C-alpha cells in the first residue's frame, strides 16, 4: 500500500542546518579552487584536491542531515553502511573531476560546461546512491520528470558556482558562489525527495542495516573533521581571504639570465670639455 512520506519531521531545523552545511562545504571548496588558479602549477593539485574533499563532504553531510528529518509512515528506515560511505566516495571523485577540469582549463567555454556538468552529476549521483542504500519494508518508486529536474538543478547550480569561483573576484564572489551552490544542492535534494513514491508492504518484515541514529556519529565525525581542516587552511592563508593575485614565478629559460641575478653597472659618462680646444700640429715648425 502507498505510505505517507514526511521530509520535515523536525520542522525547518533539518532543512536550515542542511543548507548551512552545503554552503560551508561550497565556500571552502570554491575558495580552494580560486586559490589553485593563481598559484604555481606544482601547488595546484593539492588545492584542487582539498577543494574537492570540502565540497564532497559538504554535500554528503547536507544529504544525511536532511535525511534525519525524513520518515515514512508504517515502516522504520535503516541504512546500509557500505552503500552510505560509497556515496561519499562517489561525491568526492566526481566533484573532484569537474573541479580539476575547471582548475586547469579555466572557468569558461567548454571546460566550464564540462566541469559544471560532471560536478552536478556527482551531486545527483551522491543523492540517489545514498537513497539506494536506504532499507525499509517497502518499495521506492521515482517520478522520472521530477528526477530529471533535480539533476538539472544540480548541474545549473554547480556550473554557476564554478563560473563565479573562476573569476577570482575575491572573498565576496566566493561567498555568493557558495550561497548559489547551497541553494542548488538543497533544492536538488528536496526536488529528488518530491519525486519519491513509497509503497509499504502489507506484511511487516525486519529491514536489514544500521539505523539512522547508529550511523549519525561515524557519519558526521569524519566529514566534519575534513571541513574543519579546510577551514583552518582558508583562515590562515591571507590570499584566500583577501582574494589578491599571487605573484607569478619568474620563468627560467636556457640562455636567458634571471633578472635579479645580474646587475649591470651604470655606464661611465665621458667628461664634457668646455670652450674651444686648440689643436697642435704634429708637423715640426721651422724657425
Amino acid at each position: 500500500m502507498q505510505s505517507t512520506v514526511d521530509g520535515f519531521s523536525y520542522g525547518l531545523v533539518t532543512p536550515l542546518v542542511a543548507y548551512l552545511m552545503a554552503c560551508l562545504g561550497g565556500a571552502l571548496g570554491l575558495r580552494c579552487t580560486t586559490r589553485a588558479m593563481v598559484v604555481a602549477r606544482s601547488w595546484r593539485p593539492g588545492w584542487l584536491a582539498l577543494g574537492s574533499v570540502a565540497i564532497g563532504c559538504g554535500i554528503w553531510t547536507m544529504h544525511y542531515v536532511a535525511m534525519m528529518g525524513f520518515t515514512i509512515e508504517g515502516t522504520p528506515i535503516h541504512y546500509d553502511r557500505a552503500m552510505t560511505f560509497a556515496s561519499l566516495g562517489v561525491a568526492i571523485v566526481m566533484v573532484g573531476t569537474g573541479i580539476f577540469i575547471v582548475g586547469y582549463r579555466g572557468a569558461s567555454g567548454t571546460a566550464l560546461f564540462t566541469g559544471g556538468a560532471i560536478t552536478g552529476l556527482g551531486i545527483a549521483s551522491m543523492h540517489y546512491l545514498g537513497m539506494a542504500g536506504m532499507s525499509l519494508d517497502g518499495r521506492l518508486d521515482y517520478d522520472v520528470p521530477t528526477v530529471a529536474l533535480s539533476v538539472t538543478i544540480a548541474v545549473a547550480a554547480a556550473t554557476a558556482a564554478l563560473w563565479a569561483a573562476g573569476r577570482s573576484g575575491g572573498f565576496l564572489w566566493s561567498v555568493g558562489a557558495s550561497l548559489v551552490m547551497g541553494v542548488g544542492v538543497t533544492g536538488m535534494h528536496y526536488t529528488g525527495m518530491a519525486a519519491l513514491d513509497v509503497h509499504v508492504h502489507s506484511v511487516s518484515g525486519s529491514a536489514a542495516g544500521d539505523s539512522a541514529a547508529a550511523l549519525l556519529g561515524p557519519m558526521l565525525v569524519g566529514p566534519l573533521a575534513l571541513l574543519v581542516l579546510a577551514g583552518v587552511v582558508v583562515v590562515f592563508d591571507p590570499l584566500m581571504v583577501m582574494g589578491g593575485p599571487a605573484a607569478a614565478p619568474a620563468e627560467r629559460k636556457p640562455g636567458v639570465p634571471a633578472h635579479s641575478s645580474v646587475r649591470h653597472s651604470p655606464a661611465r659618462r665621458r667628461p664634457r670639455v668646455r670652450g674651444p680646444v686648440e689643436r697642435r700640429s704634429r708637423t715640426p715648425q721651422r724657425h
Side-chain angles (χ1 to χ4, degrees):
M1 63 177 179
Q2 188 172 0
S3 180
T4 302
V5 176
D6 186 7
F8 304 94
S9 299
Y10 299 100
L12 295 178
V13 174
T14 49
L16 289 177
V17 175
Y19 173 71
L20 292 177
M21 294 306 302
C23 290
L24 176 62
L28 297 177
L30 293 175
R31 286 306 292 164
C32 292
T33 304
T34 301
R35 183 69 164 91
M37 294 180 179
V38 294
V39 297
R41 295 182 69 90
S42 60
W43 288 92
R44 191 172 299 176
W47 285 110
L48 293 176
L50 183 60
S52 305
V53 171
I55 295 179
C57 291
I59 62 177
W60 187 77
T61 306
M62 171 269 151
H63 173 81
Y64 284 101
V65 167
M67 290 304 293
M68 294 303 298
F70 178 74
T71 58
I72 299 176
E73 183 183 3
T75 179
I77 303 175
H78 303 273
Y79 295 90
D80 179 77
R81 185 180 296 270
M83 191 73 73
T84 298
F85 287 101
S87 64
L88 174 61
V90 169
I92 294 176
V93 171
M94 292 193 67
V95 169
T97 302
I99 287 179
F100 267 78
I101 292 175
V102 172
Y104 277 93
R105 298 294 182 181
S108 61
T110 305
L112 174 62
F113 288 104
T114 304
I118 295 177
T119 302
L121 290 175
I123 297 172
S125 299
M126 179 279 306
H127 173 83
Y128 289 106
L129 184 60
M131 294 298 294
M134 191 169 58
S135 177
L136 52 90
D137 185 23
R139 186 182 76 254
L140 303 180
D141 295 326
Y142 290 94
D143 180 65
V144 176
T146 309
V147 170
L149 176 61
S150 68
V151 176
T152 303
I153 292 173
V155 171
T159 303
L162 290 177
W163 172 81
R167 291 180 62 87
S168 301
F171 182 72
L172 293 180
W173 273 98
S174 296
V175 171
S178 65
L179 295 178
V180 171
M181 177 167 279
V183 170
V185 172
T186 309
M188 178 270 153
H189 173 85
Y190 285 102
T191 303
M193 298 305 292
L196 180 63
D197 191 14
V198 181
H199 295 271
V200 177
H201 297 158
S202 57
V203 180
S204 178
S206 60
D210 297 324
S211 65
L215 274 176
L216 181 61
M219 178 181 66
L220 295 179
V221 170
L224 284 177
L226 292 175
L227 288 175
V228 170
L229 175 62
V232 170
V233 175
V234 170
V235 169
F236 285 96
D237 188 347
L239 182 61
M240 298 280 284
V241 177
M242 301 303 296
E251 184 178 3
R252 300 296 299 274
K253 296 182 179 180
V256 179
H259 295 287
S260 60
S261 59
V262 179
R263 295 184 179 179
H264 299 282
S265 58
R268 297 181 179 178
R269 296 182 180 179
R270 295 180 179 179
R272 294 182 180 180
V273 180
R274 299 179 181 179
V277 179
E278 182 182 358
R279 296 182 179 180
R280 295 182 180 181
S281 176
R282 296 181 180 180
T283 305
Q285 298 179 358
R286 296 180 180 180
H287 298 282

